[in-house]
Amino acid sequence: MKKITYLCSLVLVLTTFSCQKKTVKGIADMTFSVKEHDFGNINQGDKVTTAFEFTNNSKNELLIKEAHGSCGCTVPDYPKEPIAPGKKGVIKVSFNSEGKNGKVMKTVTLVANTKSGSEVLTIYAFVNSKRGIATY
């Protein structure tokens, strides 16, 4: 019985440590070189990607806690580890134009330890339909 109790306690402790999220103290200042990107004219079904470069301009570590696209066609890839003061990072944003036509605007919202608590990146495209005529 003691062995089972010891084993259960050990599993509980290890699970607790492995499930802890990284925490960062203080407010960081995240500055982007640009916060918008226009893919221009693309064809329906194209999958395009861009990169948004940022700098941590604070004395505190920057932690991006979450990143969400405004729809399933817009997928962000962001650093999961804290960004040290003065260091740069990149947010990659992929857009799948399948099923889209005409002017498109999508956003990516980042949740971070910045003063505002979130940052928004925007992408644009004009999607030409497979028939070559955009419909609205």
Side-chain angles (χ1 to χ4, degrees):
M1 186 66 177
K2 286 183 180 182
K3 287 182 181 180
I4 292 174
T5 304
Y6 174 75
L7 183 60
C8 289
S9 298
L10 181 63
V11 169
L12 180 63
V13 168
L14 292 175
T15 303
T16 301
F17 283 117
S18 67
C19 291
Q20 288 181 344
K21 290 187 175 183
K22 287 208 178 260
T23 57
V24 173
K25 294 180 182 178
I27 301 296
D29 179 26
M30 182 181 210
T31 306
F32 285 88
S33 52
V34 295
K35 292 179 87 172
E36 296 182 349
H37 178 78
D38 189 345
F39 288 109
N41 289 315
I42 61 174
N43 295 317
Q44 189 178 62
D46 285 352
K47 295 176 183 176
V48 291
T49 302
T50 190
F52 293 93
E53 186 177 282
F54 65 89
T55 304
N56 178 1
N57 289 319
S58 70
K59 294 180 181 179
N60 298 313
E61 288 186 319
L62 169 68
L63 180 62
I64 302 170
K65 299 171 188 167
E66 301 173 22
H68 303 282
S70 55
C71 75
C73 63
T74 307
V75 180
D77 180 23
Y78 63 99
K80 310 305 188 276
E81 296 298 317
I83 307 298
K87 297 296 181 182
K88 294 180 182 278
V90 173
I91 311 288
K92 293 180 184 175
V93 177
S94 300
F95 171 66
N96 182 351
S97 65
E98 187 64 41
K100 307 291 187 259
N101 283 309
K103 292 181 183 179
V104 176
M105 181 194 84
K106 301 294 178 186
T107 60
V108 170
T109 302
L110 308 169
V111 177
N113 64 324
T114 57
K115 185 175 182 179
S116 65
S118 66
E119 305 293 327
V120 178
L121 306 173
T122 306
I123 59 169
Y124 303 94
F126 188 90
V127 182
N128 297 308
S129 72
K130 290 185 179 179
R131 290 185 229 118
I133 301 171
T135 57
Y136 298 94

